[in-house]
Amino acid sequence: MRKSITAAAVAASLTVGGLSGAALGTPSLAGASDAERSGWVEDALEPLVADGTITADQADAVEDALQDARPERRGPGPGLEAAAEALGMTDDELRDALHDGQTIAELADAAGVDLEGIVDALVAAHQEHLAEAVADGHLSQEQADEIAADLDERVAAMIDGERPDRPFAGRRGPR
């Protein structure tokens, strides 16, 4: 009984630790492969098995439970699907390239793709995302208009690898 409580506590602390690490800006596994995602769990549990805190079977059970509970991988975000398509890439390939430090501008240059089409696709997708946020009540029309005011510039900056000062949409109003 004590070992199963210990295993549950280890799983809970790993989950909470992973969440707090994400909130504190710890490097994320968002762009990582499934093998990289499960590798960190194994690495975290290995010392506990080595010192006898948990058994190897318990470590395997915790790893399996965390993998089963892991949310599905989210898409690349508004419009990046269109950018991936324009670049002749899959969403995963684009996500991996961005995670590796490449920019959309660099990828477009290498593929011989016109950036204007990508900018237009991203702007349109973000405008659609804003309209959905307004319809769902997550943003007021005034907030959406404010975000959309400099959307072209922010998308162009994002394509060059800059991170936006503020989100494109999805805010829940003043903080």
Side-chain angles (χ1 to χ4, degrees):
M1 173 71 175
R2 183 170 180 234
K3 289 189 180 213
S4 62
I5 292 172
T6 302
V10 168
S13 66
L14 286 172
T15 302
V16 171
L19 293 174
S20 64
L24 295 173
T26 301
S28 141
L29 292 171
S33 69
D34 287 338
E36 292 168 322
R37 283 190 185 95
S38 64
W40 76 266
V41 174
E42 186 176 324
D43 291 347
L45 295 175
E46 188 175 315
L48 297 172
V49 173
D51 72 9
T53 303
I54 62 174
T55 67
D57 288 341
Q58 289 171 324
D60 290 343
V62 169
E63 186 174 356
D64 291 344
L66 290 174
Q67 289 301 319
D68 291 345
R70 182 178 57 108
E72 288 193 34
R73 191 172 183 177
R74 290 179 30 184
L80 288 187
E81 299 92 350
E85 186 177 326
L87 292 167
M89 307 173 83
T90 66
D91 293 352
D92 285 340
E93 290 170 336
L94 177 57
R95 183 185 301 111
D96 291 344
L98 295 173
H99 182 71
D100 290 342
Q102 292 181 288
T103 67
I104 293 174
E106 292 168 340
L107 295 167
D109 186 48
V113 175
D114 179 37
L115 276 179
E116 189 173 323
I118 296 174
V119 170
D120 292 345
L122 286 167
V123 168
H126 284 290
Q127 287 172 334
E128 183 179 320
H129 189 68
L130 287 170
E132 288 173 10
V134 170
D136 292 344
H138 297 294
L139 287 176
S140 69
Q141 186 61 54
E142 182 180 331
Q143 290 170 315
D145 292 344
E146 178 186 330
I147 293 169
D150 60 351
L151 193 55
D152 291 340
E153 294 84 18
R154 288 187 295 125
V155 166
M158 182 192 68
I159 285 176
D160 287 332
E162 296 175 30
R163 300 204 69 176
D165 302 4
R166 57 194 175 116
F168 286 101
R171 296 183 304 178
R172 297 210 180 254
R175 298 207 191 310

